[in-house]
Every structure is written in structure tokens, then in C-alpha cells.
Amino acid sequence: MSLRRLLLRLPRYLGVSGSPRRLWWSPFLDTISSVGSWRGQSSRSPAHWNQVVSEAEKIVGYPASFMSLRCLLSDELSNIAMQVRKLVGTQHPLLTTASQRSLAEITELIHTALLVHRGIVNLSELQSSDGPLKDMQFGNKIAILSGDFLLANACNGLALLQNTKVVELLASALMDLVQGVYHENSTSAKENHITEDIGISTWKEQTFLSHGALLAKSCQAAMELAKHDADVQDMAFQYGKHMAMSHKINSDLQPFIKEKTSDSITFNLNSAPVVLHQEFLGRDLWIKQIREAQEKGRLDYAKLQETIKAGKGVTSAIDLCRYHGNKALEALESFPPSEARSALENIVFAVTRFS
């Protein structure tokens, strides 16, 4: 999309529950539509997921890919940023809109930085087929520096928003992310992590930290930038939280519900269907199933997958996904009917409808 078209298609003003008419949904929808790049797709079909995200992008005014590094660092955007700075201190609505869209970009930068850092390779687990050790060490250094660069830019962008509450919200979300990822890494580093006794309540707490906090608090921050009250901010938080949880469970379910392919089957043994399967089964029987699925010290994922599908874990995970989706829809009921609300609802439907 050209810059001219972007400026001409600035979102129209909408109101929330009697509040002053503000651009409440623009950054909200920006943040949610960027979920489309979070490597999760609807269980119905990739086309359906792409369709609802595309519809949301049309309302926002530009595709989620607009928030790419190439665009963020382009000369054209930098020139416009310089022009917008001239409006600082005025009441021009364009200035408020550009602060809100910056929040969506900051959220995406933080998420991308996390993905880059997660790409760091454990050198102690390298196989000869992975490549020379020297090259892998160099790749790790680049991943660390790249992730740090993105985080630094996100922090700079937060400071430019000049809103202490928004800074506090995003800083706490980053802290939650680090805590959640640290727990995941410490768990996976253990040789017997597949036999850990983790209940679904604990799984929810850990998943919120590592997958839900950033989206939830970014949605809340969007309402803060639009100067809405605490009740509206809480509803935005609840939508982001439950949408993220539903999205994560949908992703966890894919190895158990998608059509068989020729690819080798692998899945996270701490994913929602597995945790629920273990909870229904009991620890002793779960350990027995793990041992039965092992051959020559290696886990036969295909065999274990069939065992899990025969239990209640998969159907329970689908129910849990729909539960969080319904909670997200309940939060949206606090907002007035609009194209934006419909788009947000459709995003929920895309991850909660299973064929």
C-alpha cells in the first residue's frame, strides 16, 4: 500500500459505551491482526485464517506486513515520522493515531525479538549433520544481537509514546515473557521432562506468561492511549488474554487433528492436549505409556500420538479452546457493534471452529 493510500484510509472515529468519540479500535485491531504473523492457523483451513486476518487488515488500513523491519526502517516512513513530529503539542487527531499505531509496531517488535532469541541453538545438543560448530556459534551471536537490536528499538518507541502507564504495561509484559520462556527452557533442559506432573491450571499460568501477557497488556495499553477508563481497559485485556490462550491451544491441537502427512510427527509434550491427557490418565499410567512408546531410548511420537488421540485429552483441549474463545467474545460485547468488532469476533471464530 502506498503512503498516500495509507493516509487517505485512516480509520473513522467510533465511540465506546458513551465515552467521547475516539479511535479506540484502531491500535486494538492493529495488535490483534498482527497475530496473523504468529505462525498459528485455523484448524479449518489456512485460507479461512488468512481471510479473517485480511478483512481485519482492510479495516485498519494496511496489512500486518506493514510492520516489517524493511518498512519501519525505510526512508519514506522516516520522512513522514519527521513531519508528524512537527504536530507534537497540537491536538491534531493524526498525532494520536500515529502514537496508537506505534504501539502495535512496538508489540510486534517485542514478539519478533522473542522469536529471534528463541532461535538460539543449544550447542551441547548439536549433531554432526547440523553443520560446523564455528558456524553455529556465529549464528547464535547474530541471533542474540538481532534480538537485542529489536528490543532496543521497541524500548525507544515506548519512550517516545510518553505515557508512563503504557510503558509500565509493556515492561511488565516483557518481564512475563522472560519468566515464561525461562520456565520453558529450564523444564526442557531436564532429561525426564516428559514425565513431569503438570496440571492444566499450572499450564494455563505458564502459557499466559509466555504467550498471553504481551497481547493482553498491549490491548489494554491501546485503550489507555485512547484515554478510556479502567473498565474498558480491562475488557480489552480480557479479550487479548483469552484470544491468545485460544490461539495457543489451537496451535497445540494441530498435530492431533490435521490430516496426516508424510512429514515426521513431533509435538510438544507440554502442550495442552498432552497435559490434559496426562491429567485424566494419572501420573503412573502416563509414565507407563511414555515407556511403551520408547524404542532404543528414543520416543516414538507417532505411537504416542495415537495413544493420546484415543484418550480424552484432545477433545478436552478443543473444549478449552472454545471456552477461552467464548470468554474473548464476552469481552467484546462491552464494545459497540462495528466493522472492527466483527473483525475481532471473526478472528476468534477462526481459531475455535474445528471441522
Side-chain angles (χ1 to χ4, degrees), residues 12-128:
R12 56 194 173 89
Y13 288 85
L14 295 176
V16 181
S17 303
S19 300
R21 296 172 70 82
R22 304 180 189 277
L23 286 169
W24 70 266
W25 58 263
S26 176
F28 194 13
L29 194 52
D30 277 344
T31 304
I32 298 298
S33 64
S34 69
V35 173
S37 64
W38 290 14
R39 300 178 184 275
Q41 293 183 331
S42 162
S43 59
R44 297 184 67 186
S45 68
H48 180 66
W49 171 257
N50 293 336
Q51 179 183 351
V52 296
V53 172
S54 177
E55 290 172 354
E57 290 171 342
K58 290 177 183 178
I59 297 174
V60 172
Y62 56 83
S65 59
F66 177 84
M67 294 179 286
S68 64
L69 287 180
R70 182 179 64 180
C71 187
L72 289 176
L73 302 178
S74 68
D75 292 337
E76 185 181 18
L77 196 63
S78 298
N79 182 53
I80 284 298
M82 291 177 62
Q83 301 303 320
V84 170
R85 289 192 186 101
K86 296 179 181 179
L87 297 176
V88 174
T90 72
Q91 299 300 317
H92 197 286
L94 175 60
L95 183 62
T96 302
T97 303
S99 295
Q100 291 175 339
R101 290 192 170 181
S102 293
L103 173 63
E105 294 166 3
I106 290 166
T107 301
E108 188 69 7
L109 281 174
I110 294 174
H111 177 73
T112 303
L114 178 68
L115 293 180
V116 171
H117 278 162
R118 279 187 167 183
I120 296 174
V121 177
N122 187 343
L123 298 178
S124 64
E125 298 179 355
L126 281 181
Q127 304 292 329
S128 57

Side-chain angles (χ1 to χ4, degrees), residues 200 203-204 238-239 241-247 249 317-330 348 352:
I200 194 62
W203 180 90
K204 284 184 178 181
Q238 294 300 324
Y239 176 84
K241 171 187 174 181
H242 291 291
M243 172 59 212
M245 294 294 289
S246 184
H247 186 269
I249 297 170
I318 291 175
D319 291 340
L320 185 61
C321 180
R322 288 172 173 162
Y323 165 79
H324 284 289
N326 288 333
K327 297 296 287 186
L329 293 175
E330 287 178 15
V348 175
T352 56

Side-chain angles (χ1 to χ4, degrees), residues 129-195:
S129 59
D130 294 330
L133 176 61
K134 184 177 180 180
D135 291 344
M136 302 302 287
Q137 290 174 330
F138 178 76
N140 277 357
K141 292 178 182 179
I142 293 298
I144 293 172
L145 291 174
S146 300
D148 290 348
F149 172 77
L150 295 178
L151 284 176
N153 276 273
C155 292
N156 182 63
L158 273 178
L160 293 176
L161 292 179
Q162 298 183 353
N163 187 306
T164 54
K165 184 173 181 180
V166 170
V167 173
E168 179 183 354
L169 283 169
L170 271 292
S172 65
L174 184 56
M175 180 180 68
D176 291 338
L177 275 171
V178 173
Q179 183 179 345
V181 173
Y182 177 82
H183 179 83
E184 288 180 359
N185 291 341
S186 61
T187 299
S188 61
K190 300 177 182 178
E191 293 182 358
N192 66 336
H193 70 278
I194 56 176
T195 64

Side-chain angles (χ1 to χ4, degrees), residues 254-296:
Q254 293 310 303
F256 302 95
I257 61 176
K258 66 181 180 181
E259 296 181 0
K260 293 184 178 180
T261 62
S262 58
D263 299 334
S264 58
I265 299 173
T266 58
F267 50 87
N268 191 330
L269 291 168
N270 286 323
S271 62
V274 180
V275 170
L276 286 165
H277 174 78
Q278 177 184 351
E279 193 168 67
F280 281 114
L281 200 64
R283 180 172 173 80
D284 292 338
L285 288 177
W286 169 241
I287 294 176
K288 181 181 178 182
Q289 289 184 349
I290 288 289
R291 290 174 179 170
E292 290 175 348
Q294 288 179 329
E295 295 181 2
K296 298 181 180 179

